[in-house]
Amino acid sequence: MDSIVVRDKTFEIFISADQIADAVADVAKRVNQDYQSENPPLVIVLLNGAFIFASDLCRCFTFECDLQLLRVSSYKGMQSTGKVWVDEAAEPDVHGRDVLIVEDIVDTGNTLAAYLPRLMDQGAKSVKVASLLLKPDALKHSLSIDYVGMEIPSDFVVGYGLDYDGKGRNLPHIYKLKED
Ligand code: IMP
């Protein structure tokens, strides 16, 4: 389907499932080059959005995988609130660990700018980030994203784990908001 309605908005096809699969394979290849089973990283998947990307990505890992899921949130509707909430009760023990964060999309960077320093404060040995998507023009923080699947313009997107107000996460393709 070329365009779809999610809640009150119309979205048009932007990145097909095949293109997503290629981007995931490319990220996996680069991650696999950097990590080995002798010293496996602690993979932390940021929920909710990254759950589909992470499940495809981690099945391509060639190293032993120690995987934790953590809920963080900063978005309401189509906007970053600027306030980042972390489910502190579920935070994994990162002390002495090489940590790989799996994120669906980096937009303003507010989420990672708030969360990454916590990992260093908690004694992580190293921290790297894999994000399926990056909106470079929307970024408000100086962040280095180690593995990016695709850079996209600052359009609002849904599908493949990404939602609009709780809907659209299950779509196999990624759609962008259609201009009126
Ligand atoms: P940031 O903190 O602004 O970098 O945004 C990170 C989080 O906001 C992501 O993990 C998503 O959950 C959400 N987000 C950012 N851009 C979009 C989008 O275009 N569609 C859906 N969710 C988004």
Side-chain angles (χ1 to χ4, degrees), residues 81-101:
T81 59
K83 288 192 194 120
V84 177
W85 173 84
V86 178
D87 184 0
E88 292 181 18
E91 274 188 287
D93 180 8
V94 298
H95 192 265
R97 299 297 306 266
D98 292 307
V99 176
L100 175 65
I101 299 296

Side-chain angles (χ1 to χ4, degrees), residues 45-51 69-73 102-103 169:
V45 180
L46 300 189
L47 300 177
N48 295 328
F51 79 107
L69 310 174
L70 181 68
R71 281 190 66 211
V72 296
S73 71
V102 179
E103 177 63 302
R169 290 193 197 279

Side-chain angles (χ1 to χ4, degrees), residues 41-169:
L42 171 61
V43 178
I44 303 179
V45 180
L46 300 189
L47 300 177
N48 295 328
F51 79 107
I52 294 184
F53 173 47
S55 58
D56 283 344
L57 182 70
C58 73
R59 282 180 292 168
C60 301
F61 288 164
T62 52
F63 50 86
E64 185 183 276
C65 189
D66 189 354
L67 203 137
Q68 299 278 337
L69 310 174
L70 181 68
R71 281 190 66 211
V72 296
S73 71
S74 63
Y75 241 65
K76 201 164 171 47
M78 289 205 201
Q79 272 184 341
S80 172
T81 59
K83 288 192 194 120
V84 177
W85 173 84
V86 178
D87 184 0
E88 292 181 18
E91 274 188 287
D93 180 8
V94 298
H95 192 265
R97 299 297 306 266
D98 292 307
V99 176
L100 175 65
I101 299 296
V102 179
E103 177 63 302
D104 51 355
I105 185 165
V106 179
D107 178 11
T108 61
N110 286 339
T111 305
L112 292 179
Y115 181 55
L116 298 184
R118 290 172 72 92
L119 296 170
M120 296 319 286
D121 290 348
Q122 291 165 5
K125 192 166 136 204
S126 72
V127 179
K128 288 190 176 186
V129 179
S131 181
L132 177 66
L133 302 174
L134 169 68
K135 297 180 188 171
D137 300 336
L139 205 53
K140 290 187 186 158
H141 301 268
S142 143
L143 285 172
S144 106
I145 311 300
D146 304 274
Y147 313 97
V148 175
M150 258 184 231
E151 292 193 354
I152 62 167
S154 303
D155 300 298
F156 188 80
V157 290
V158 294
Y160 196 71
L162 292 149
D163 73 307
Y164 166 43
D165 228 358
K167 300 279 186 211
R169 290 193 197 279

Side-chain angles (χ1 to χ4, degrees), residues 26-41 61-63 98 100 126 128-130 146-147:
D26 180 56
V27 170
K29 193 174 157 199
R30 286 181 281 143
V31 171
N32 284 334
Q33 281 164 358
D34 290 352
Y35 294 102
Q36 269 117 44
S37 293
E38 295 77 61
N39 193 16
F61 288 164
T62 52
F63 50 86
D98 292 307
L100 175 65
S126 72
K128 288 190 176 186
V129 179
D146 304 274
Y147 313 97

